[in-house]
Amino acid sequence: MANTNGKAATSLPEKISAKANPEANEATEIAGNILYHAKYSPHFSPLKFGPEQALYATAESLRDRLIQLWNETYVHFNKVDPKQTYYLSMEYLQGRALTNAIGNLNLQGPYADALRKLGYELEEIAEQEKDAALGNGGLGRLASCFLDSMATLNLPAWGYGLRYRHGLFKQLISQKGQEEIPEDWLEKFSPWEIVRHDVVFPVRFFGSVEINPDGSRKWVGGDVVQALAYDVPIPGYNTKNTISLRLWEAKARAEDLDLFQFNEGEYELAAQLRSRAQQICTVLYPGDATENGKLLRLKQQFFLCSASLQDIISRFHERSTTEGSRKWSDFPSKVAVQMNDTHPTLAIPELMRLLMDENGLGWDEAWDVTSRTVAYTNHTVLPEALEKWSQSLMWKLLPRHMEIITEIDKRFVKTIRDTRVDLEDKISSLSILDNNPQKPVVRMANLCVVSSHTVNGVAQLHSDILKAELFADYVSIWPNKFQNKTNGITPRRWLRFCSPELSDIITKWLKTDKWITDLDLLTGLRQFADNEELQSEWASAKTANKKRLAQYIERVTGVSIDPTSLFDIQVKRIHEYKRQLMNILGVIYRFKKLKEMKPEERKKTVPRTVMIGGKAFATYTNAKRIVKLVNDVGDVVNSDPEVNEYLKVVFVPNYNVTVAEMLIPGSELSQHISTAGMEASGTSNMKFALNGCLIIGTLDGANVEIREEVGEENFFLFGATADQVPRLRKEREDGLFKPDPRFEEAKQFVKSGVFGSYDYGPLLDSLEGNTGFGRGDYFLVGYDFPSFMDAQAKVDEAYKDRKGWLKMSILSTAGSGKFSSDRTIAQYAKEIWNIEACPVP
Ligand code: NBG
């Protein structure tokens, strides 16, 4: 970090003058504008200009530009008044914003030069930024990729979410395994968000329903908190269009402080409402084992829905006043609301309530508007992830909404009774309310399906399963309601910016950089897959990325890895269905075999570095045991002098978007090995494939389509198929399963205590027995293990053929065009939202 005179730039450089210049394009002007922010929008002690100050000032200089584009975008949207999409999601995994904003605005060169003039490299400043981690995993990252594509495609759209003070926890790895500590992205402040003090809506909780003399109903009493808007700019790539991610924060008003009580010394009592308001946006996914935890989560969901819908309706109203009254029946031709999974389901009864109780519509009219406005994306078939809320909790927190939900259910059930006698015995599973006296609940997915005009799954196989199983009876009622929208990823963040080396090579060979917004052009690489020159350039880009990754791994884990070994990566949330356990058991078997070999035999093997990363939910014990096992195996293998030249095992701590941007470009093999039928789509599989990384995987989620696109000879397939799974589970129950000796050997090796004294019994027990809770190998690790090991052997063989491998790698990238989120979003826009591009001229 040396400036031009070789000194660290920790105080404001004097040679360049600080000058506000929001439209700066050229390095010196940009540098002046950065200094202007450092000096006149200060957040730190005067005149300090260390890397952190440089980050904030740089971000603010960019924000100037974004604000301008933003204003132009909204002036234009206002003028054209197109139909707009509102994407409601409890999660966004935005990661860092600096490199992305500079890249999307195409200001890479000038910004790098400007910072150099100020004594810094752009990369080291970018490194200072904390990830905005307002999500868990794939679902949240998908929402963020979607925003990038909406902006890039010039679509009139908004993202709505919550401004969690602490995003997803930070994962520390200690001798105990995973430990969680609060994440701190807002500890100082975020330079990207802009608070809109004029955009505030009241959101009520609890209270009761009042019936007016005319029969209309009104929700009154209870707690009222304020939702305040914070907007984050989302710049499109190579376009002026810049849209908003609007994040709500919960607040109390000044008058909610009870001054009398406060002066009596009752500080906590006096500020009760304030503290209850603050709880709402404190963390993403508060633990929900307790009643309080459940209540808080439900509050969060309602808070998002209510604030967003009030905002949407007020935008619709604004028009009415300027243009003379607009008809409510036009609402669905101006507004599309997309619910990202069931978390924002309360948007349905809240829209009904706002229309009926606040705006005087009758039931039929309100229902017509609502059901033509909302659409629902399902992201999982796992029963434990399908939300069901206790009816009593809902009556307590949202009494008016429960009335509405009950009415929706009643009318739905009546229609079925009247029109579909054949479904009579299905009514108990089709209805929204599950009135089982033991545990009466509201089934959120059912409410979504009944109320939405469109329901979609996120990969072809997943959508087929939804139609054939989970929602089969609904399909018989509404055959045209169900669609597939295979997920996608933004090629900007996940190739152009995270691997500039490979991107430049692609641009050179395709003779255009248009692939960045038209990813199908990558097929143009196929004709060069055998070309030695391309192969050697490809290899050198990969090697550079692998070296960078190796340095990172050494820095964060202390383990030194060999950049010439095969880099094999599995990164995702830790879950039994994702089968990190199968991966590590495979590694354990490999380790045992390497130990048994003579030195000359070992020399013939393909050296491998296996990296596994991901967070386990804090209360998911078996997932945490898996993390511990991977770490223990790593400790033993990496310090074994006989073997560690041929095998290294690394647990990559605190996996997040930024870590992914480092890992994916440096990967050669990645594992997507879920039990078939259980991973709805997966999206990191797409990122890896796009970066020329080969996949070892099952026929699950989007793997199926990736394999189709890249070619089956470029995909290491193994394992049972989704349609075989029920039979295999049954056979297991019947005691017909015969384990492969390799599988028994691997488990036995763990039990022998080679990897330390930690009790792996409970984890391994899940693979034993044929039935019983937490037993009987529900995820078919034992069944798939032999074919997994065979596929791994094919990987080793293939890797020995360097040219063959490079060809496969090129073909993998060449076949990834389909997985651009631009394609996905264009399909949503056309087939679900019915919106059109509205480019700022
Ligand atoms: C996840 C699925 C993934 C899928 C993402 C994005 C949930 C509920 N579902 O397979 O498990 O890729 O959604 O669609 O988080």
Side-chain angles (χ1 to χ4, degrees):
M1 189 184 317
N3 66 13
T4 34
N5 6 324
K7 273 197 337 238
T10 49
S11 58
L12 280 187
E14 279 158 16
K15 270 198 253 153
I16 297 165
S17 55
K19 187 157 179 291
N21 194 341
E23 288 172 45
N25 269 325
E26 175 281 316
T28 313
E29 292 170 354
I30 292 176
N33 196 34
I34 295 175
L35 284 187
Y36 171 82
H37 282 287
K39 203 163 168 184
Y40 298 110
S41 329
H43 307 282
F44 300 92
S45 307
L47 309 182
K48 246 189 166 179
F49 196 65
E52 190 180 24
Q53 289 79 24
L55 166 71
Y56 282 103
T58 305
E60 282 172 337
S61 77
L62 269 162
R63 205 180 74 169
D64 290 346
R65 171 66 69 100
L66 294 174
I67 287 177
Q68 197 190 350
L69 293 171
W70 223 350
N71 293 343
E72 282 182 47
T73 306
Y74 285 104
V75 166
H76 184 64
F77 286 180
N78 238 358
K79 196 169 103 203
V80 178
D81 188 27
K83 180 174 181 183
Q84 303 207 41
T85 289
Y86 300 91
Y87 197 80
L88 265 54
S89 178
M90 288 289 283
E91 302 188 27
Y92 292 90
L93 272 182
Q94 290 285 99
R96 288 177 178 157
L98 187 78
T99 309
N100 187 69
I102 292 177
N104 276 11
L105 297 176
N106 212 354
L107 290 171
Q108 195 79 30
Y111 259 89
D113 292 346
L115 281 165
R116 226 167 276 131
K117 285 179 197 293
L118 301 173
Y120 289 109
E121 290 299 320
L122 176 55
E123 291 74 23
E124 35 173 338
I125 295 307
E127 281 292 307
Q128 297 291 316
E129 187 176 355
K130 290 183 176 166
D131 272 40
L134 311 182
N136 260 307
L139 177 142
R141 183 54 229 174
L142 183 77
S144 295
C145 282
F146 279 6
L147 294 179
D148 184 79
S149 287
M150 290 173 193
T152 300
L153 294 175
N154 302 316
L155 292 171
W158 295 69
Y160 278 110
L162 293 187
R163 182 176 180 268
Y164 305 103
R165 180 157 293 276
H166 305 284
L168 185 59
F169 66 87
K170 250 192 224 164
Q171 179 191 52
L172 289 188
I173 300 296
S174 71
Q175 269 316 306
K176 285 187 253 165
Q178 167 179 305
E179 291 181 54
E180 304 90 33
I181 57 169
E183 178 277 347
D184 60 354
W185 78 295
L186 285 180
E187 197 72 350
K188 290 189 177 121
F189 67 103
S190 161
W192 304 107
E193 58 179 17
I194 292 191
V195 51
R196 308 288 192 194
H197 289 289
D198 56 333
V199 184
V200 185
F201 296 99
V203 177
R204 190 183 306 275
F205 299 110
F206 307 108
S208 56
V209 180
E210 216 174 62
I211 306 171
N212 299 321
D214 65 351
S216 65
R217 303 174 91 85
K218 202 162 184 77
W219 184 23
V220 295
D223 284 353
V224 177
V225 302
Q226 310 298 317
L228 172 64
Y230 282 75
D231 285 350
V232 179
I234 308 290
Y237 178 83
N238 208 6
T239 172
K240 286 186 174 173
N241 283 48
T242 298
I243 60 173
S244 277
L245 168 57
R246 178 159 282 184
L247 300 175
W248 299 107
E249 187 194 66
K251 286 184 38 134
R253 294 166 310 175
E255 61 250 51
D256 292 325
L257 180 74
D258 189 325
L259 210 48
F260 179 79
Q261 276 182 335
F262 197 88
N263 287 329
E264 292 290 297
E266 300 279 11
Y267 307 125
E268 261 111 60
L269 271 183
Q272 254 184 11
L273 187 65
R274 179 177 299 185
S275 104
R276 282 207 293 274
Q278 275 167 0
Q279 287 160 11
I280 295 175
C281 292
T282 300
V283 294
L284 166 80
Y285 288 118
D288 63 351
T290 63
E291 270 309 292
N292 264 346
K294 290 196 180 70
L295 186 69
L296 184 56
R297 275 208 200 180
L298 194 59
K299 276 187 171 180
Q300 291 184 323
Q301 296 189 348
F302 179 65
F303 185 72
L304 167 68
C305 295
S306 179
S308 307
L309 282 165
Q310 291 183 67
D311 195 28
I312 295 166
I313 287 180
S314 90
R315 197 162 301 120
F316 184 75
H317 267 317
E318 255 168 47
R319 279 280 159 173
S320 300
T321 45
T322 54
E323 284 170 7
S325 183
R326 225 175 191 178
K327 293 202 299 289
W328 281 108
S329 57
D330 288 343
F331 191 80
S333 57
K334 289 293 172 192
V335 175
V337 170
Q338 187 68 36
M339 299 182 291
N340 195 26
D341 218 80
T342 52
H343 319 141
T345 306
L346 291 167
I348 297 162
E350 176 65 351
L351 182 54
M352 289 292 288
R353 184 189 72 85
L354 290 166
L355 293 173
M356 294 189 300
D357 302 359
E358 307 281 329
N359 291 285
L361 276 70
W363 180 276
D364 291 333
E365 210 186 341
W367 178 248
D368 175 66
V369 168
T370 302
S371 56
R372 286 194 293 132
T373 300
V374 300
Y376 155 58
T377 304
N378 173 285
H379 293 267
T380 184
V381 294
L382 297 194
E384 68 269 27
L386 290 171
E387 286 188 292
K388 294 186 176 79
W389 286 104
S390 130
Q391 291 184 17
S392 60
L393 187 73
M394 295 258 300
W395 278 114
K396 188 164 113 188
L397 189 70
L398 303 165
R400 178 65 182 126
H401 299 80
M402 271 309 276
E403 289 186 350
I404 293 171
I405 293 169
T406 308
E407 184 65 21
I408 295 175
D409 197 34
K410 202 177 97 193
R411 289 173 183 242
F412 167 65
V413 169
K414 181 170 179 344
T415 318
I416 300 303
R417 290 228 155 90
D418 292 351
T419 58
R420 291 292 299 270
V421 268
D422 58 314
L423 289 179
E424 181 65 40
D425 59 334
K426 298 281 172 58
I427 287 181
S428 62
S429 63
L430 284 171
S431 63
I432 297 163
L433 298 180
D434 176 350
N435 292 326
N436 174 348
Q438 242 89 70
K439 205 176 160 237
V441 292
V442 183
R443 295 187 275 228
M444 303 312 253
N446 291 18
L447 178 53
C448 284
V449 175
V450 170
S451 315
S452 298
H453 59 83
T454 305
V455 175
N456 73 284
V458 290
Q460 191 61 54
L461 175 69
H462 168 62
S463 299
D464 291 345
I465 292 175
L466 288 182
K467 284 171 72 169
E469 292 167 31
L470 203 57
F471 299 144
D473 293 320
Y474 291 118
V475 175
S476 82
I477 306 171
W478 300 292
N480 298 325
K481 200 182 260 210
F482 297 85
Q483 297 192 10
N484 172 54
K485 293 285 165 281
T486 298
N487 282 167
I489 53 164
T490 167
R492 272 72 66 184
R493 184 178 293 263
W494 297 114
L495 181 53
R496 178 68 196 99
F497 306 147
C498 74
S499 185
E501 303 81 354
L502 203 62
S503 296
D504 289 344
I505 294 168
I506 294 170
T507 300
K508 176 182 153 195
W509 285 79
L510 294 180
K511 298 201 171 68
T512 172
D513 66 0
K514 290 214 166 62
W515 59 270
I516 299 170
T517 47
D518 184 358
L519 205 61
D520 285 328
L521 293 178
L522 290 179
T523 52
L525 291 171
R526 280 194 186 131
Q527 56 180 310
F528 308 120
D530 282 309
N531 184 303
E532 289 195 8
E533 212 180 308
L534 172 60
Q535 288 191 354
S536 103
E537 291 175 21
W538 200 265
S540 69
K542 267 283 161 197
T543 304
N545 290 339
K546 286 174 74 181
K547 286 190 176 149
R548 190 164 57 119
L549 172 54
Q551 283 168 5
Y552 174 78
I553 294 290
E554 177 139 25
R555 194 169 82 233
V556 297
T557 67
V559 181
S560 114
I561 59 176
D562 173 7
T564 66
S565 64
L566 192 173
F567 278 13
D568 165 348
I569 302 184
Q570 186 183 21
V571 278
K572 44 186 87 240
R573 290 301 296 250
I574 311 289
H575 204 294
E576 285 163 290
Y577 86 81
K578 296 179 189 276
R579 299 198 293 191
Q580 286 93 351
L581 182 54
M582 181 159 72
N583 182 355
I584 196 67
L585 284 170
V587 171
I588 289 166
Y589 185 79
R590 178 183 286 264
F591 172 60
K592 184 162 186 287
K593 293 299 121 180
L594 281 167
K595 285 296 283 179
E596 290 162 6
M597 283 177 197
K598 297 201 186 69
E600 339 43 285
E601 276 179 292
R602 278 186 207 126
K603 287 209 174 76
K604 290 187 215 134
T605 63
V606 176
R608 254 206 220 209
T609 302
V610 180
M611 295 168 242
I612 298 178
K615 295 179 183 178
F617 194 73
T619 53
Y620 188 173
T621 328
N622 259 359
K624 286 184 142 178
R625 291 184 180 119
I626 294 171
V627 173
K628 173 74 176 138
L629 178 58
V630 175
N631 278 283
D632 285 352
V633 171
D635 286 348
V636 171
V637 172
N638 300 342
S639 58
D640 187 310
E642 287 175 336
V643 164
N644 65 12
E645 231 181 286
Y646 306 98
L647 180 63
K648 284 264 166 75
V649 180
V650 181
F651 186 86
V652 187
N654 200 40
Y655 179 60
N656 62 17
V657 172
T658 296
V659 176
E661 288 168 18
M662 178 72 70
L663 289 169
I664 293 169
S667 61
E668 293 172 300
L669 178 76
S670 74
Q671 306 210 16
H672 305 275
I673 57 178
S674 49
T675 316
M678 300 195 79
E679 187 72 273
S681 161
T683 40
S684 75
N685 44 4
M686 302 168 181
K687 296 167 196 164
F688 282 105
L690 178 63
N691 279 271
C693 171
L694 302 182
I695 290 178
I696 180 166
T698 46
L699 277 183
D700 200 14
N703 283 358
V704 178
E705 289 157 80
I706 294 176
R707 181 165 169 268
E708 262 163 36
E709 295 292 314
V710 304
E712 54 188 67
E713 62 290 359
N714 303 311
F715 188 107
F716 299 97
L717 180 71
F718 74 95
T721 55
D723 56 336
Q724 295 168 345
V725 167
R727 177 178 57 80
L728 293 168
R729 286 192 179 135
K730 178 79 179 48
E731 286 178 7
R732 175 91 186 207
E733 263 175 45
D734 296 344
L736 297 173
F737 171 66
K738 288 201 189 52
D740 186 89
R742 290 173 281 183
F743 184 56
E744 295 305 293
E745 200 177 327
K747 285 185 299 178
Q748 204 43 53
F749 202 45
V750 180
K751 286 182 197 156
S752 73
V754 210
F755 303 110
S757 56
Y758 183 86
D759 181 12
Y760 286 107
L763 180 62
L764 296 173
D765 279 353
S766 70
L767 306 171
E768 306 296 340
N770 297 326
T771 48
F773 183 75
R775 291 175 62 80
D777 194 13
Y778 185 74
F779 302 99
L780 303 182
V781 178
Y783 180 85
D784 277 348
F785 193 78
S787 64
F788 174 61
M789 294 310 283
D790 294 345
Q792 289 288 16
K794 287 191 192 133
V795 170
D796 288 328
E797 270 321 295
Y799 199 72
K800 286 183 189 157
D801 170 11
R802 194 171 156 70
K803 282 191 170 161
W805 187 277
L806 283 166
K807 178 179 179 183
M808 291 164 83
S809 169
I810 294 167
L811 289 174
S812 172
T813 302
S816 294
K818 174 175 176 187
F819 305 103
S820 169
S821 47
D822 297 343
R823 187 266 314 147
T824 315
I825 284 300
Q827 290 178 334
Y828 273 93
K830 185 156 179 273
E831 295 158 23
I832 300 182
W833 302 332
N834 194 20
I835 61 166
E836 273 165 19
C838 187
V840 176

